[in-house]
Amino acid sequence: MLGKQNRQTSFMDIETWYGGPIVTPESIYGLLDSWGDRLITDEDFAELFSVTGRPSVSPALLAKVLLLMYHDNVSDRESQERAQYDLRWKVALRLSINEAGFDYTALCRFRARLLINKQQKLVFERFLRLAKEAGIVKDGSLQIIDSSHILGAGAVQDTYMLIKTAIQKLLKVRKKNQPHKSDLVFQLDYSQKGKPDIDWDNEDIRQQVLQRLVEDSHMVLAAVSSMDHTKEEQLAAELLATITEQDIDISPEGTVTLRHGVAKDRVISAEDTEMRHGHKTSRGKFNGYKGQIMMDEVSEIITNVEVTPGNQADGEVMDEMLTSTTVKPGMIMGDTAYGTLSARESAEYHKVAAVAPLPMGSANPSDPFSKYQFHIAWDTMTCTCPFKQSTTKTYKDQKTGIVKAFVFDKSQCSRCPFRSQCFGKGKRRTVFMHPEEQKRRDIMEQTNTPEFKGLYRNRSKIERKVAHVMNRGMRKSRYIGREKTLTQLAYKAAGVNLKRIFQCIKGDVSKLDSLTRALGI
């Protein structure tokens, strides 16, 4: 049942005893004190609670606690202590001196309720709608998108520990659901945590352990598949099967060996199965997730957030970000990761103009002899090199008839003084075509204009905003799982937006009036 916070003035109120203001009005504590009761209300969470039963702790109070907790980067238990002893928190939460307000375990239950109802971004979107009604952000504006890594909370494990931990998980679930079923005989001991106590420098012993781990895994999977099992057992069995098969090869004789290379979408932790190996640059590798952030270019209000797997390409999230945003952009700006053809198609589907350079891969457009220095006349299907030699000779796919390359004659290239730089030791130049070559060249022509370059300079604004969010408590996830990490990111972004909204309306009477009307003041 929905609980509500008591708002009656008490003789034990902080300012009654202190005799004056305790926090600055522009701080998050001061803003929650002055505006919190209208910014976040218990009625905002009504759909998350039943109409009967024991009243809960005020959800508006707990939501404000989450804002403060992520702002100050403290734990659940420390949040309770600050609400009891920190005057800034008492002012922000409107708690009297002798009032504790909540037990820290209520925060875990509150986050679980948000998670179950898919309402992790409820407060974030509430603030965003208020900013929209106040005219601070508007539909059709230029918005910027970028991402940064979030380190996962789960332990990254090697193949041996992944398989062992997954077996232990399945056995634990099986024992809980079928406590009298213990007829399996294992080659290794799964009652103890940690790696088997062996000489890990001995390759033969390591091989024996791996062989036994895989055989034990196959045995328990066969046992589970041959009997009725719960959904919990099914999920644990699927995890074990995935982990067992992702890193090993089995010979026809049954010998198990570690596979060379890294499997695609490899599970790296049996504790947090959604964590992935990722990288933002060739050197900047990490284990965890990516935090996706969209921001209004003018007001610098964060307009959308999302958490994606660490190995997912940034451009693949374009459709999801544009679908779920409260403030629809007219243009979306990003770096080359958001300039892929598929990302542009997603933006076009939502009737949003994409402002991003095209990723070139291994090609270097500044190279005077790259294929992009060869002009192609699509109407006549003629390719002309930088030295005015032209060809209409093409190599086509035999099935589809699509042109895959333009080919120059040997006679044309043999008399060129730059032939060794153009195509090395070969006898003639071949210009290979991308399946969407014409579209790519049109995009490149557009992004080389002075207008694009002038507009694109604004992209750097998102770097500051991302750094502000990530480096103040968001660089590492507190929780296991992507959805829980989204709760952390959404409340962190909501706190950042709260302060930014009031910075934007400072001194602007019209926007302040619009905000007060939106809040019903």
Side-chain angles (χ1 to χ4, degrees):
M1 181 177 176
L2 179 67
K4 297 185 178 182
Q5 189 174 7
N6 184 4
R7 285 303 175 202
Q8 291 185 348
T9 302
S10 167
F11 179 69
M12 300 299 290
D13 282 349
I14 299 293
E15 293 185 356
T16 302
W17 285 87
Y18 196 76
I22 297 174
V23 297
T24 56
E26 295 82 10
S27 67
I28 191 171
Y29 314 103
L31 293 174
L32 287 177
D33 175 35
S34 302
W35 298 84
D37 288 349
R38 292 182 173 87
L39 287 170
I40 308 172
T41 67
D42 290 317
E43 287 70 22
D44 294 333
F45 302 88
E47 294 183 358
L48 278 61
F49 293 85
S50 65
V51 295
T52 60
R54 182 181 177 183
S56 67
V57 178
S58 164
L61 171 66
L62 295 178
K64 286 183 276 189
V65 171
L66 290 184
L67 287 172
L68 293 173
M69 183 176 80
Y70 297 129
H71 178 272
D72 289 1
N73 197 24
V74 297
S75 66
D76 290 2
R77 191 182 292 271
E78 189 173 350
S79 296
Q80 178 186 339
E81 293 177 355
R82 292 205 177 196
Q84 288 177 311
Y85 307 117
D86 192 317
L87 294 183
R88 297 171 305 171
W89 279 52
K90 283 189 172 294
V91 169
L93 300 175
R94 293 288 188 91
L95 296 175
S96 61
I97 292 178
N98 62 343
E99 186 180 1
F102 64 96
D103 183 84
Y104 74 93
T105 58
L107 292 172
C108 183
R109 294 192 296 270
F110 179 62
R111 286 194 300 268
R113 190 178 294 273
L114 295 176
L115 198 68
I116 292 171
N117 292 276
K118 303 293 183 182
Q119 292 295 332
Q120 300 98 310
K121 297 198 285 187
L122 188 151
V123 171
F124 171 79
E125 291 175 345
R126 161 78 171 159
F127 289 176
L128 197 56
R129 285 193 295 271
L130 290 173
K132 189 175 180 180
E133 291 180 36
I136 300 171
V137 293
K138 300 177 181 179
D139 289 333
S141 62
L142 170 62
Q143 295 186 29
I144 314 173
I145 186 170
D146 201 5
S147 70
S148 189
H149 68 278
I150 301 173
L151 301 177
V156 179
Q157 300 163 311
D158 62 19
T159 302
Y160 298 90
M161 279 304 297
L162 279 172
I163 298 176
K164 181 180 178 181
T165 307
I167 290 175
Q168 289 173 325
K169 280 178 170 285
L170 181 53
L171 292 177
K172 183 179 180 180
V173 172
R174 189 168 181 263
K175 183 177 181 180
K176 182 179 70 173
N177 295 327
Q178 303 180 45
H180 303 296
K181 298 276 186 179
S182 58
D183 52 341
L184 299 178
V185 179
F186 295 99
Q187 301 182 58
L188 296 176
D189 181 14
Y190 296 98
S191 62
Q192 301 296 324
K193 294 182 178 180
K195 286 187 174 182
D197 187 14
I198 64 168
D199 181 7
W200 288 98
D201 293 327
N202 190 312
E203 185 177 351
D204 292 335
I205 296 178
R206 292 202 310 269
Q207 175 60 36
Q208 292 174 14
V209 171
L210 182 64
Q211 184 79 32
R212 292 170 181 173
L213 280 169
V214 174
E215 290 175 358
D216 286 349
S217 172
H218 289 166
M219 178 180 64
V220 71
L221 287 171
V224 171
S225 64
S226 63
M227 62 182 68
D228 293 336
H229 48 262
T230 64
K231 183 178 179 180
E232 190 178 15
E233 286 177 301
Q234 178 65 29
L235 292 174
E238 290 175 356
L239 173 62
L240 176 57
T242 299
I243 285 175
T244 302
E245 302 301 326
Q246 68 182 1
D247 291 334
I248 65 165
D249 290 317
I250 303 178
S251 68
E253 296 77 23
T255 302
V256 175
T257 56
L258 283 175
R259 182 178 301 157
H260 293 290
V262 179
K264 184 179 180 181
D265 202 35
R266 181 178 183 269
V267 177
I268 62 175
S269 173
E271 298 170 349
D272 188 346
T273 59
E274 295 180 301
M275 284 174 53
R276 292 294 184 269
H277 291 307
H279 63 88
K280 286 294 289 179
T281 64
S282 59
R283 294 183 179 180
K285 297 180 181 179
F286 65 93
N287 300 311
Y289 304 97
K290 287 181 182 178
Q292 303 284 343
I293 295 177
M294 274 173 56
M295 181 193 79
D296 180 66
E297 185 267 332
V298 175
S299 66
E300 298 189 16
I301 297 290
I302 299 173
T303 55
N304 203 2
V305 294
E306 191 55 70
V307 175
T308 58
N311 62 344
Q312 184 176 357
D314 287 338
E316 295 176 4
V317 79
M318 182 70 80
D319 180 69
E320 184 178 359
M321 294 291 281
L322 293 177
T323 299
S324 61
T325 185
T326 302
V327 183
K328 184 177 178 180
M331 291 186 290
I332 185 75
M333 180 188 293
D335 58 21
T336 55
Y338 302 94
T340 62
L341 294 182
S342 60
R344 292 174 186 276
E345 289 173 0
S346 296
E348 185 178 349
Y349 174 79
H350 290 278
K351 299 180 180 178
V352 176
V355 183
L358 189 70
M360 304 307 298
S362 59
N364 184 2
S366 63
D367 182 355
F369 300 110
S370 74
K371 74 171 185 177
Y372 295 105
Q373 299 300 317
F374 287 70
H375 176 72
I376 298 176
W378 299 104
D379 52 347
T380 60
M381 289 304 291
T382 302
C383 180
T384 304
C385 80
F387 302 100
K388 309 305 179 184
Q389 295 294 319
S390 300
T391 183
T392 57
K393 185 183 294 185
T394 59
Y395 168 68
K396 298 182 179 180
D397 186 286
Q398 294 181 353
K399 294 182 178 180
T400 63
I402 297 176
V403 173
K404 301 188 72 173
F406 284 93
V407 182
F408 285 83
D409 287 332
K410 297 177 184 178
S411 59
Q412 291 176 289
C413 296
S414 62
R415 56 179 177 266
C416 179
F418 299 99
R419 61 183 181 276
S420 61
Q421 300 176 48
C422 186
F423 53 85
K425 297 181 180 180
K427 295 183 179 180
R428 60 184 177 183
R429 177 64 187 251
T430 301
V431 181
F432 292 96
M433 296 290 101
H434 187 275
E436 298 281 355
E437 186 71 25
Q438 183 174 358
K439 190 172 184 179
R440 288 175 64 86
R441 287 175 178 261
D442 291 342
I443 293 171
M444 289 180 63
E445 184 177 349
Q446 175 193 358
T447 55
N448 283 327
T449 61
E451 293 78 12
F452 175 88
K453 293 178 180 179
L455 182 62
Y456 193 67
R457 291 192 186 98
N458 294 313
R459 199 198 71 83
S460 60
K461 293 182 178 181
I462 191 70
E463 303 284 356
R464 299 193 299 270
K465 185 65 66 173
V466 170
H468 179 74
V469 173
M470 293 295 168
N471 296 336
R472 299 187 182 184
M474 199 60 231
R475 181 56 67 200
K476 183 177 176 61
S477 175
R478 295 166 175 254
Y479 313 111
I480 297 295
R482 189 165 65 92
E483 294 297 328
K484 292 181 181 179
T485 304
L486 176 59
T487 304
Q488 180 182 347
L489 177 58
Y491 272 84
K492 181 65 180 177
V496 171
N497 273 355
L498 176 61
K499 291 194 289 186
R500 185 62 188 169
I501 287 171
F502 283 90
Q503 287 174 0
C504 290
I505 65 175
K506 189 175 182 180
D508 192 327
V509 177
S510 63
K511 288 182 179 178
L512 181 60
D513 289 343
S514 298
L515 180 62
T516 54
R517 285 196 299 271
L519 292 172
I521 301 175

